[in-house]
Amino acid sequence: PLDDVPEWKGVSMDEIRKGLGVYDCQELPPICASSSHIVLISLPLPARGTPKPYPTYQVEKWCQDYVRMPHSKHNLYLNGSRHNRNRWEIIQESLLQNFVSTHQLESAILSYNHIYAQRWDFTALHHFFSEVLDEEETNTFFETLMPKMVQLALQLPVLVTGSVPLLKRHTNGTISLSQLQIASLLANAFFCTFPRRNSTDPQSEYGRYPYINFNRLFSAYKEGKWKCESVMEKMKCIFHYFRRVTCKGGAAPEGVVTIQRRYIPKSDCPKWDEQVQTLLPLHITSRGTIEAEGTGFLQVDFANKYVGGGVLGLGCVQEEIRFVICPELMVTMLVTEELDDTEALIVSGVERYSKYKGYSNSFKWIGDYVDETPKDSSGRRLTSIVAIDALYFKNSQMQFNINNIIRELNKAYVGFVGCEASKNNLPAIATGNWGCGAFRGNPKLKVLLQLIAATVAGRSMVYFTFGDTNLRDDIAEMHKHFVKHETNIAHIFSLLLQYQEFASTENSDFYRFLYNRSKMKPITQHLSKNIHTKLSVVKE
Ligand code: AR6
């Protein structure tokens, strides 16, 4: 019967895991503080309970290399004719009240952001409470959750005593902090307390960072547009997260999260035309999702170069959904400067809080999710996510341009390569149609580029086609073809180079082209030299 036909192709999950248990491999080594790894909690971890902040006493760095904290004594509020006041004092005064409506909340937020009073808009937030929640739910929110969120935000000075470094462009840097510290930072983002993060001018100090203050989300409302519904569902996820992290007892999060920015200069990336490996094993399935069935693997976030993408706006595709079901990911938006071509961000230890169904405009929050992922010796859940941003292709032909191919290979490689310290124990990659939805790439090309990058990084792959059985079969066949013919990466790369010219002249089937050409003799040394000349002349 048809039901017996497996929905996957390639090798089994067991083979991908090399017979090891789901959590036997680990992306990041245990936490060890250094000049490039800032640890905001005290080590070793307590046997139970939440990790303690580090250092014991508050230290403050008000400068361009660290997050400017809302409670800093340097965070002055220039309020017209009045004397400069400490902004944190105003924040405390404004938030310590018994809120009964979102209009009151709006006034409170604007009282320490008055220059935005005319520009910020809270329509989506008001809509959520007036149209989405019923009266009882609204009352419960203001009576119970809201005061706890305020407490969580105002505890920031005692919870985060160290300075939070920024993960800047073209640097390698790592931060480890507790889930509770993240919760407090995100509560501050909710109340829009982060200074200097509101300018829309790209030249401003944080012009190359993602948005972090939640006023963006509160205004994400379009009259009559379906997108507003997914914004409401995203809000449900976020309030659910705050409900979970503010509840007392065993349910409060006690774990640790590590955020790592990785930069490999372009000149140190692999020479793609010199790699002699053949493709590593692939498990490909049309069922399941990266976050659910990709347990234990390095899970790809189909990111924006500004991590988080449209999570605080109207966006509701793979990255945004991942960020709202695992809101701790949003703390990356506080610290991560725009990703450049050969940079990636790896996050380990985040928890999933929400169940959902649907996608994009049909996305719905459907309730609490209990994440049973075990923790490593550093208190991190064994969930690792890598944010890699694909290129956006307005013109579909452009993706076959060899410079764009190299860009995507390098990007995926930087994401997949893993730390030296974990080298022999890295999990496989769990991915799918990276760059092929909102960014309009061709999945048949992108999967091949990801396979090449994963192979050179020494990792097998689990690929989710997100319901597409034809794509699954085509990819499985392509992979099988190259493995059977022992076509190495240099050879595949040379085929891509040939297709670049072919694609612009004829409307051909990409894989057919690869099959036909791969039967010919592999590229010679002479031709290989030719590639380098071509590479330097082909521009986007
Ligand atoms: N698991 C597996 N596959 C998935 C999943 C999932 N959970 N969700 C989606 N897919 P897209 P992009 C498949 O459009 O093109 C965001 O705004 C599905 O086939 O999210 O790289 C970012 O912030 C889908 O069409 O990724 C960026 O700005 C395909 O993956 C931008 O979108 C691509 O998902 C990135 O766009």
Side-chain angles (χ1 to χ4, degrees):
L2 263 179
D3 282 0
D4 283 351
V5 179
E7 74 272 13
W8 57 268
K9 296 216 163 161
V11 304
S12 71
M13 278 281 203
D14 250 9
E15 278 175 76
I16 291 281
R17 297 193 200 273
K18 299 177 189 150
L20 296 172
V22 174
Y23 300 108
D24 285 350
C25 297
Q26 203 173 322
E27 191 64 33
L28 297 181
I31 296 175
C32 176
S34 72
S35 60
S36 64
H37 187 161
I38 304 301
V39 182
L40 297 168
I41 47 168
S42 168
L43 292 175
L45 294 173
R48 61 166 59 103
T50 50
K52 299 280 165 286
Y54 180 86
T56 324
Y57 296 100
Q58 205 184 316
V59 291
E60 209 199 301
K61 290 188 179 127
W62 181 260
C63 66
Q64 56 171 15
D65 292 333
Y66 294 85
V67 173
R68 295 187 191 268
M69 294 295 256
H71 60 271
S72 164
K73 62 176 185 293
H74 300 283
N75 187 17
L76 295 181
Y77 195 55
L78 315 167
N79 199 359
S81 57
R82 277 204 285 157
H83 288 299
N84 294 348
R85 276 190 71 192
N86 179 283
R87 196 155 171 251
W88 188 244
E89 280 173 24
I90 308 176
I91 291 168
Q92 285 173 296
E93 270 169 30
S94 311
L95 295 181
L96 284 171
Q97 55 174 303
N98 289 322
F99 290 98
V100 292
S101 76
T102 51
H103 293 275
Q104 209 181 343
L105 175 61
E106 172 180 346
S107 320
I109 290 173
L110 291 176
S111 72
Y112 44 84
N113 287 299
H114 81 278
I115 60 164
Y116 297 102
Q118 302 308 316
R119 272 175 279 172
W120 285 5
D121 157 65
F122 292 74
T123 322
L125 182 69
H126 299 321
H127 183 86
F128 183 75
F129 284 92
S130 62
E131 308 298 326
V132 179
L133 295 193
D134 63 29
E135 208 180 306
E136 201 188 315
E137 289 168 321
T138 302
N139 291 341
T140 321
F141 173 81
F142 285 111
E143 279 160 25
T144 46
L145 183 55
M146 182 78 169
K148 289 184 189 167
M149 286 174 65
V150 169
Q151 284 306 326
L152 184 60
L154 297 184
Q155 275 170 8
L156 185 65
V158 286
L159 288 178
V160 183
T161 48
S163 303
V164 184
L166 293 168
L167 300 175
K168 296 194 152 194
R169 183 185 156 88
H170 293 188
T171 61
N172 283 286
T174 309
I175 307 173
S176 289
L177 72 180
S178 70
Q179 288 181 287
L180 184 61
Q181 289 176 321
I182 293 177
S184 179
L185 290 163
L186 293 180
N188 274 277
F190 177 87
F191 292 112
C192 312
T193 67
F194 286 104
R196 305 205 187 177
R197 301 300 290 254
N198 302 317
S199 172
T200 45
D201 174 5
Q203 300 301 315
S204 66
E205 184 179 349
Y206 286 93
R208 303 234 156 256
Y209 285 78
Y211 296 105
I212 182 64
N213 287 328
F214 277 36
N215 60 291
R216 285 258 146 185
L217 183 69
F218 300 157
S219 69
Y221 182 81
K222 287 259 185 339
E223 197 80 50
K225 284 258 173 81
W226 53 261
K227 275 194 169 167
C228 164
E229 278 178 36
S230 51
V231 171
M232 297 301 121
E233 300 300 318
K234 291 198 293 183
M235 284 192 186
K236 288 184 193 170
C237 294
I238 288 168
F239 285 123
H240 179 69
Y241 162 74
F242 283 119
R243 216 164 21 237
R244 282 276 308 273
V245 296
T246 53
C247 70
K248 292 273 172 307
E254 297 179 345
V256 176
V257 171
T258 295
I259 309 167
Q260 178 175 71
R261 185 186 187 108
R262 190 179 302 142
Y263 167 57
I264 300 179
K266 193 174 173 206
S267 54
D268 294 345
C269 286
K271 306 262 176 297
W272 299 105
D273 57 341
E274 292 175 6
Q275 308 300 318
V276 294
Q277 308 91 310
T278 48
L279 296 180
L280 285 177
L282 168 73
H283 172 95
I284 185 161
T285 168
S286 56
R287 279 211 219 147
T289 58
I290 293 169
E291 68 277 9
E293 279 71 24
T295 315
F297 301 120
L298 175 62
Q299 304 174 353
V300 179
D301 162 17
F302 305 154
N304 191 282
K305 62 183 177 176
Y306 292 103
V307 292
V311 65
L312 293 180
L314 297 169
C316 197
V317 287
Q318 196 247 11
E319 173 162 59
E320 291 90 355
I321 293 174
R322 190 70 200 260
F323 272 55
V324 294
I325 62 172
C326 306
E328 283 146 359
L329 285 169
M330 283 198 270
V331 81
T332 60
M333 299 163 74
L334 180 65
V335 295
T336 314
E337 194 173 4
E338 173 188 22
L339 297 177
D340 199 6
D341 286 345
T342 57
E343 297 187 297
L345 194 77
I346 295 91
V347 186
S348 284
V350 294
E351 181 166 350
R352 175 170 169 188
Y353 294 87
S354 287
K355 282 199 196 111
Y356 76 94
K357 63 176 187 185
Y359 186 72
S360 186
N361 53 349
S362 67
F363 175 74
K364 294 267 178 301
W365 177 79
I366 53 170
D368 185 44
Y369 180 92
V370 180
D371 188 336
E372 282 169 358
T373 311
K375 292 177 185 164
D376 68 8
S377 61
S378 296
R380 294 171 298 201
R381 278 204 163 56
L382 285 158
T383 298
S384 291
I385 295 161
V386 61
I388 46 173
D389 55 300
L391 291 173
Y392 169 72
F393 293 109
K394 205 154 117 198
N395 168 358
S396 163
Q397 283 311 323
M398 291 309 292
Q399 64 195 303
F400 292 100
N401 170 316
I402 203 71
N403 283 328
N404 289 335
I405 284 180
I406 292 171
R407 191 280 183 190
E408 302 296 65
L409 284 170
N410 287 344
K411 173 65 75 168
Y413 174 78
V414 175
F416 299 168
V417 67
C419 311
E420 192 59 31
S422 325
K423 216 170 145 196
N424 298 318
N425 193 31
L426 290 170
I429 311 288
T431 188
N433 302 333
W434 174 52
C436 299
F439 280 2
R440 304 174 62 178
N442 178 334
K444 288 189 176 180
L445 172 64
K446 271 294 198 297
V447 67
L448 182 53
L449 301 182
Q450 292 188 82
L451 277 167
I452 293 174
T455 297
V456 176
R459 304 171 84 157
S460 310
M461 184 178 284
V462 176
Y463 195 98
F464 298 91
T465 63
F466 211 59
D468 191 334
T469 50
N470 292 330
L471 181 66
R472 173 199 64 196
D473 297 347
D474 289 348
I475 294 171
E477 192 190 320
M478 175 275 291
H479 184 266
K480 205 167 132 192
H481 174 95
F482 285 139
V483 171
K484 190 173 131 207
H485 291 90
E486 294 178 7
T487 317
N488 70 29
I489 287 172
H491 189 182
I492 299 175
F493 185 80
S494 77
L495 298 174
L496 292 172
L497 195 67
Q498 294 170 45
Y499 189 75
Q500 166 185 258
E501 286 149 31
F502 192 79
S504 52
T505 51
E506 272 170 77
N507 199 3
S508 85
D509 180 77
F510 176 49
Y511 284 175
R512 217 26 38 246
F513 176 91
L514 297 182
Y515 298 152
N516 291 340
R517 293 287 170 112
S518 64
K519 288 183 197 126
M520 298 177 190
K521 272 181 87 184
I523 201 141
T524 64
Q525 200 54 40
H526 163 73
L527 266 173
S528 168
K529 281 220 186 69
N530 210 358
I531 291 171
H532 289 296
T533 357
K534 274 195 184 142
L535 294 186
S536 50
V537 294
V538 183
K539 288 264 151 60
E540 190 181 324

